Amino acid sequence: MSKSGFPLLGIMGGGQLGRMMALAALRMGFKVRFLSPHSSGPMQGLGEQMVGPWTDKDVLQDFVEGCSAITVESEWAPAEEVKAILPEGVALWPSPATLQLIRHKGIQNTTLQKAGLPLPAFCCCASLDEVHNAVEAFGFPVMFKRFEGSYDGYGNATVRFPEEIQQAWDDLAAEDGLLVEAWAPFVRELSVLVCRRADGAHVEYPVVYTEQKDHRCHAVEAPAPSLFPDVEAEARRVALAAVEAVGGVGIMGVELFEMKDGTVLVNELAPRPHNTGHYTIEACHTSQFENHVRAVLGLSLGNPNLRVPAAVMINILGHRSGEAAPDGLDDALAVEGAAIHLYNKPQVRPKRKMGHVTITGDDVKTVRARAEHAASLIQL
Ligand code: ATP
Ligand code: MG
């Protein structure tokens, strides 16, 4: 607890995920402090903002001073460095160990496989020879993935012909090589958020359908339409087991593939709030952000279930480069039931995540059309 008795949450990172965490924390009367290497729009106006080199010991010491708990809003935040200077009794979640397991896609897959979780066949390939062997074993098409540093599909290549192997290797291989994954002929992509506390208490959010455009999340439909109960149960079981396998604490996003035969495969884990959970702010009793804040502070977890029959979230991406200005905002606000979230990013870039729209209602189909419409009206 901070000196005033209200918890002070330290958040490493200054993006939209930290912003929405902070908004949830502030609502409960908690205090927040951000640390980010660069000044950022999303954290403006919310609690204390520290800007500085976030691997620097002195900067980190100032940052953690008086904090009740520290969390990260990005899996790339330097958690090991914070851990090294953390005062007694101050928690850091997720743990650096969890973050390390997840950062490297090869280690992540190997960890999940050892825990008995279903995933696409994969091979951690250290050389081009090993890649050729893996491709031969899996057949075309095949996915090549950079071991570290991927996001929004940057860092992946679908390889369809033998001639493409060399180029994809040159583009994606690091010193330790790259990850080759068998193509998963999924029916659709699902996602489950799991929020877990250090003592193992946990809640799971509804299974949602997530639609990608250009490898980026475009829409989320909650609950996933026409989901068979046994697929739903399996998705929830697999998601929780995956989070337990990496010792996750806080909220974690589990990206899944739904296969034709009703099985699910794990695509990947995100050790933080996830884009497929933004709908929870309006649609669930407790949002993913609030439950994350509660979990890292060791507080009671809230009800994760839907409090409406259906919800749809649509991302608002940038379409140009320059200073952001919300054209069409008033028209979007006039769409019935539209909850508009803009992240206060001063600069827009093509495909940059600038905000999102959520609409709740009686069925996914009608709210989807309205949410798409509202999102299309806003041009940043
Ligand atoms: P993000 O940060 O956007 O979640 P990422 O860059 O870490 O993504 P992945 O989630 O691994 O990348 O892959 C991006 C998308 O590529 C997936 O959502 C899925 O649509 C597709 N994909 C990934 N792996 C496979 C696979 N083995 N078979 C078929 N499609 C795949
Ligand atoms: Mg992904």
Side-chain angles (χ1 to χ4, degrees):
M1 293 278 159
S2 66
K3 290 190 186 89
S4 67
F6 289 98
L8 169 62
L9 180 65
I11 300 173
M12 302 194 74
Q16 66 267 21
L17 302 178
R19 175 183 177 83
M20 290 184 273
M21 262 181 215
L23 289 168
L26 292 168
R27 202 193 68 182
M28 293 184 280
F30 303 168
K31 299 174 190 311
V32 296
R33 177 186 292 158
F34 285 96
L35 174 61
S36 171
H38 310 288
S39 167
S40 94
M43 68 181 184
Q44 297 297 323
L46 301 171
E48 278 176 69
Q49 298 139 41
M50 292 178 60
V51 176
W54 64 355
T55 48
D56 184 294
K57 219 172 142 189
D58 294 335
V59 170
L60 288 175
Q61 237 136 17
D62 286 347
F63 170 62
V64 302
E65 166 68 33
C67 282
S68 321
I70 309 290
T71 190
V72 304
E73 64 119 41
S74 154
E75 54 266 49
W76 311 109
E80 295 80 6
E81 286 84 344
V82 187
K83 183 88 186 174
I85 55 103
L86 212 55
E88 275 276 317
V90 180
L92 164 63
W93 301 117
S95 71
T98 298
L99 292 171
Q100 255 167 1
L101 285 179
I102 289 176
R103 268 182 203 150
H104 190 284
K105 286 194 174 183
I107 297 175
Q108 183 185 144
N109 276 13
T110 306
T111 306
L112 296 176
Q113 189 181 48
K114 277 194 189 141
L117 287 153
L119 25 162
F122 70 93
C123 182
C124 298
C125 297
S127 68
L128 204 47
D129 273 352
E130 289 180 17
V131 167
H132 281 288
N133 291 340
V135 173
E136 196 159 312
F138 301 153
F140 290 104
V142 73
M143 289 294 293
F144 283 20
K145 296 188 178 184
R146 197 173 268 155
F147 276 140
E148 292 195 51
S150 303
Y151 67 99
D152 290 347
Y154 295 113
N156 289 354
T158 311
V159 175
R160 297 175 191 280
F161 305 103
E163 310 81 84
E164 293 173 350
I165 293 176
Q166 178 74 53
Q167 186 64 52
W169 169 266
D170 292 345
D171 290 345
L172 301 177
E175 248 168 44
D176 56 348
L178 52 70
L179 177 71
V180 175
E181 249 181 40
W183 183 258
F186 55 79
V187 182
R188 60 180 168 175
E189 293 186 70
L190 302 174
S191 161
V192 178
L193 296 146
V194 175
C195 191
R196 192 167 167 270
R197 230 166 40 185
D199 65 359
H202 57 82
V203 292
E204 290 89 56
Y205 280 85
V207 182
V208 299
Y209 163 54
T210 154
E211 192 177 304
Q212 323 288 118
K213 256 191 201 168
D214 299 330
H215 296 278
R216 256 175 218 82
C217 175
H218 166 66
V220 171
E221 298 183 353
S226 313
L227 188 68
F228 289 116
D230 50 342
V231 178
E232 183 190 353
E234 176 65 357
R236 293 167 70 99
R237 180 194 74 79
V238 163
L240 175 61
V243 170
E244 286 175 338
V246 297
V249 174
I251 193 95
M252 302 215 7
V254 184
E255 299 178 10
L256 301 166
F257 296 140
E258 180 184 358
M259 309 304 286
K260 227 190 212 150
D261 62 1
T263 57
V264 297
L265 304 179
V266 180
N267 173 33
E268 62 165 352
L269 304 182
R272 50 167 170 75
H274 196 250
N275 199 165
T276 61
H278 293 355
Y279 79 92
T280 62
I281 297 173
E282 287 81 15
C284 295
H285 293 281
T286 316
S287 78
Q288 64 162 347
F289 300 101
E290 179 169 336
N291 259 336
H292 177 72
V293 170
R294 293 185 189 206
V296 299
L297 287 163
L299 300 170
S300 299
L301 299 177
N303 181 346
N305 294 323
L306 286 166
R307 54 192 182 84
V308 288
V312 172
M313 186 239 39
I314 305 290
N315 271 334
I316 300 172
L317 304 182
H319 295 289
R320 61 180 183 89
S321 292
E323 228 167 90
D327 281 347
L329 176 60
D330 196 38
D331 293 335
L333 288 169
V335 175
E336 193 198 327
I340 312 280
H341 298 248
L342 296 177
Y343 305 145
N344 195 31
K345 294 183 180 176
Q347 296 293 318
V348 59
R349 288 195 304 271
K351 299 186 178 166
R352 188 173 196 201
K353 289 177 180 168
M354 301 299 289
H356 72 265
V357 176
T358 299
I359 301 192
T360 63
D362 288 337
D363 70 283
V364 158
K365 218 169 168 183
T366 48
V367 288
R368 168 107 193 212
R370 289 217 312 278
E372 292 274 8
H373 178 58
S376 73
L377 292 170
I378 301 180
Q379 296 295 324
L380 288 135

